[in-house]
Amino acid sequence: MGGNELLEWVVKILGILNRTIIELISATTTSSGLTVRAEQDFNHYETGIKVSDEELATIPLKRHEFHGDWNYTIAQSDSRGTLSLQSLLSYRSIVR
């Protein structure tokens, strides 16, 4: 099997695994009826962006009681009631 064939095979397998995982997550329902919606995000996001303590302090985080350093909610800020990663990155580039 050549390099290109192997790469195509790996990409195909990973695509199937991705779709399977997303379908499994989407099929989740709690005993109280809460459902989960999941979809694959094909957008490209920069890696290695450093956020200073000062910048992080401007984001309205509500830390959860259990491991608040890992688990938190970003407070509502737009008409849909969500603050997207894209808007955070845009805000960050404006502030700089």
Side-chain angles (χ1 to χ4, degrees):
M1 185 178 282
N4 285 342
E5 292 171 332
L6 179 60
L7 182 59
E8 288 174 18
W9 180 81
V10 169
V11 167
K12 185 175 182 179
I13 295 298
L14 289 176
I16 292 169
L17 289 173
N18 250 358
R19 187 170 56 249
T20 302
I21 291 167
I22 290 169
E23 288 172 1
L24 286 170
I25 293 169
S26 295
T28 302
T29 304
T30 66
S31 59
S32 62
L34 177 68
T35 59
V36 176
R37 188 186 120 230
E39 61 186 55
Q40 188 167 356
D41 183 355
F42 291 100
N43 292 318
H44 171 76
Y45 297 97
E46 279 186 61
T47 58
I49 297 174
K50 303 292 182 194
V51 179
S52 70
D53 291 338
E54 293 80 20
E55 289 173 314
L56 187 58
T58 66
I59 300 171
L61 298 180
K62 179 182 177 196
R63 299 197 180 273
H64 296 197
E65 187 175 322
F66 181 75
H67 286 290
D69 49 337
W70 302 338
N71 302 303
Y72 51 84
T73 301
I74 299 175
Q76 297 180 2
S77 72
D78 70 9
S79 60
R80 292 186 326 248
T82 60
L83 185 62
S84 70
L85 175 61
Q86 201 61 35
S87 62
L88 281 175
L89 292 176
S90 297
Y91 171 75
R92 187 170 185 271
S93 64
I94 291 168
V95 170
R96 290 214 159 211

